[in-house]
Amino acid sequence: MGMYLLLLVAGVCWGQYNPNTVPKRTSIVHLFEWRWQDIAEECERYLAPNGFGGVQISPPNENVIITDPQQPWWERYQPVSYKLCTRSGNETEFRDMVTRCNNVGVHIYVDAVINHMCGANAGAGDHATCGSYFNAKTEDFPAVPYSVWDFNDHKCKSRSGNIENYHDISQVRDCRLVSLLDLALDREHVRSRVAAYLNRLIGLGVAGFRIDAAKHMWPADVKAILDKLEDLNTQWFPAGTKPFIYQEVIDLGGEPIKGSEYFGNGRVTEFKYGAKLGTVLRKWDGEKMAYLKNWGEGWGFMPSDRALVFVDNHDNQRGHGAGGASILTFWDTRLYKMAVGFMLAHPYGFTRVMSSFRWPRYFQNGKDVNDWYGPPSNADGSTKAVTINADTTCGNDWVCEHRWRQIRNMVIFRNVVDGEPFSNWWDNGSNQVAFGRGNKGFIIFNNDDWSLNVSLQTGLPAGTYCDIISGQKEGDFCTAVEVHVAADGMANFLIGNEDQDPFIAIHVDAKL
Ligand SMILES: *[C@@H]1O[C@H](CO)[C@@H](O)[C@H](O)[C@H]1NC(C)=O
Ligand SMILES: *[C@@H]1O[C@H](CO)[C@@H](O)[C@H](O)[C@H]1NC(C)=O
Ligand SMILES: *[C@@H]1O[C@H](CO)[C@@H](O)[C@H](O)[C@H]1NC(C)=O
């Protein structure tokens, strides 16, 4: 009995850290602002066949429609109700997406915006994506319902009512984040409305949640809501499975609120990861790839089994959020592929790949004045479909980084080497580095300004392997560089410093 209770308690403790992906699918992709019908198609035609574990979707609940500027991406972060209609699609389409993705083993992770409602200046009326009436001035959201009592105004001690000082913990959690009406998550009514929303999504088959703006909520309030959540839908998940939880906490050090305060609730986004990796690959601040030998906890990051990691996200790829100029994005194609390749090869953390839309980036005085642009859209404001070109890239200004050969093949690499130790590190004291994952895979980078020609221990069984970066194995044929591993595991690598992609990756499923 004692043992049984102990196991039960332990089970409750572990559940929320497990990504709930099907075995050997080790990454998710954020299909930022995609329509539900396009995601359903992508799960079936691309993500499942290529071993992606899941999709982080944009917030599915009703948001305010902002016209100045014209329907920015951030209007999705201004809730009006928990009804499921947005420019990504309606409830019917949402159900269809979750069902079709789950049926091919690709799970759905919802971006849950529960810290706040819309901005204080959003006006009054029914200019919301399901047409629900609301009044931001009187803090009235009858479609939930929330009223003035459900907000934190009485608790906030800043002069403006907004967060003014990130060194004041109470302000960060009780005042308005950039004017967004701050929900009183200590109230039972608010907790139960939020939990009802999340439980409805669980019932429809979602596998977990990104908790938006978690830093702006008290960890105990988040916990009180999570404690109300049901187990996942047994149509697709084993009985007793808890939703995967990853909380957006921007902690680059230097502020009193720490990511570790949230470990009791689930995983936490490790923002130092992309900021540092970008700095290393750009060779800023005297950084070199050789220093990546102890990447992970050795760099002061949170424990690997608590970390959700990414090179860039929808905020910091356009200068919002955290990380600053060092963040690598699809705009920095060559270094970006190396960064994502490094992330997917390295065992640290649970990995999320970014998939973006292009916008007319335009810098004035160092700031992108078009950082607000919403997704590619038609004249009536509806989001454009994700079209697929003959060469498998995407059209209509969808970037589809997850379909870039180098990134997609590294998602597969990570699945192949899952559970294997970090091994056979080599570096030249500069920006040429290599490492393996047990006897399943090996990767080598040349980010120096001179070419690389070395023989290294790969740890792999003897044979001829096909590089999955410059091409890939197709049937018995390799469209790329071939790597010959000798009986003792040694192989020679040549990488020019001007190669389009100055890295090589091989794994046992790409052996000829
Ligand atoms: C949802 O959207 C689809 C596609 O636009 C449409 O056919 C359907 O009628 C909508 N359903 C509801 C309940 O609005
Ligand atoms: C690595 O960098 C060093 C300088 O630190 C250089 O001398 C060497 O040629 C480079 N390449 C290899 C394979 O060691
Ligand atoms: C690479 O190094 C090996 C051994 O030092 C040498 O035989 C070979 O010619 C070199 N290849 C190139 C392209 O420099």
Side-chain angles (χ1 to χ4, degrees), residues 44-88:
E44 293 171 344
R45 73 189 162 199
Y46 199 86
L47 301 178
N50 288 296
F52 285 80
V55 181
Q56 178 184 311
I57 61 166
S58 283
N61 63 300
E62 181 174 26
N63 62 265
V64 65
I65 296 172
I66 290 172
T67 50
D68 183 17
Q70 190 63 37
Q71 293 215 258
W73 62 267
W74 40 260
E75 74 169 34
R76 303 284 297 261
Y77 292 87
Q78 299 208 19
V80 162
S81 83
Y82 300 130
K83 292 181 184 169
L84 301 180
C85 39
T86 60
R87 62 181 163 206
S88 284

Side-chain angles (χ1 to χ4, degrees), residues 34 38 40-50 386 388 403:
W34 281 41
D38 291 324
E41 297 277 335
E42 191 70 350
C43 285
E44 293 171 344
R45 73 189 162 199
Y46 199 86
L47 301 178
N50 288 296
V386 177
I388 306 299
R403 281 175 168 257

Side-chain angles (χ1 to χ4, degrees), residues 86-98:
T86 60
R87 62 181 163 206
S88 284
N90 60 31
E91 180 167 346
T92 313
E93 293 164 309
F94 183 87
R95 285 172 183 267
D96 180 61
M97 166 185 71
V98 177

Side-chain angles (χ1 to χ4, degrees), residues 453-454 492 494:
N453 176 10
V454 282
N492 185 255
L494 274 175

Side-chain angles (χ1 to χ4, degrees), residues 178-189:
V178 292
S179 97
L180 298 162
L181 300 176
D182 202 57
L183 283 166
L185 293 164
D186 55 349
R187 283 176 63 82
E188 183 53 33
H189 174 71

Side-chain angles (χ1 to χ4, degrees), residues 95-122:
R95 285 172 183 267
D96 180 61
M97 166 185 71
V98 177
T99 301
R100 286 166 62 188
C101 290
N102 278 340
N103 285 347
V104 292
V106 179
H107 296 154
I108 298 294
Y109 302 84
V110 168
D111 194 347
V113 184
I114 61 175
N115 169 65
H116 54 259
M117 299 299 279
C118 66
N121 303 317

Side-chain angles (χ1 to χ4, degrees), residues 418-476:
D418 183 36
E420 296 292 318
F422 181 74
S423 53
N424 292 308
W425 173 267
W426 168 85
D427 66 71
N428 71 336
S430 185
N431 290 291
Q432 299 179 350
V433 303
F435 62 94
R437 295 292 304 277
N439 59 5
K440 294 279 179 65
F442 192 79
I443 190 164
I444 175 165
F445 296 84
N446 177 15
N447 198 31
D448 270 331
D449 298 330
W450 52 87
S451 62
L452 169 153
N453 176 10
V454 282
S455 282
L456 296 175
Q457 176 56 251
T458 63
L460 297 186
T464 299
Y465 292 79
C466 185
D467 172 29
I468 61 165
I469 303 302
S470 56
Q472 61 202 355
K473 184 181 161 202
E474 283 171 14
D476 291 331

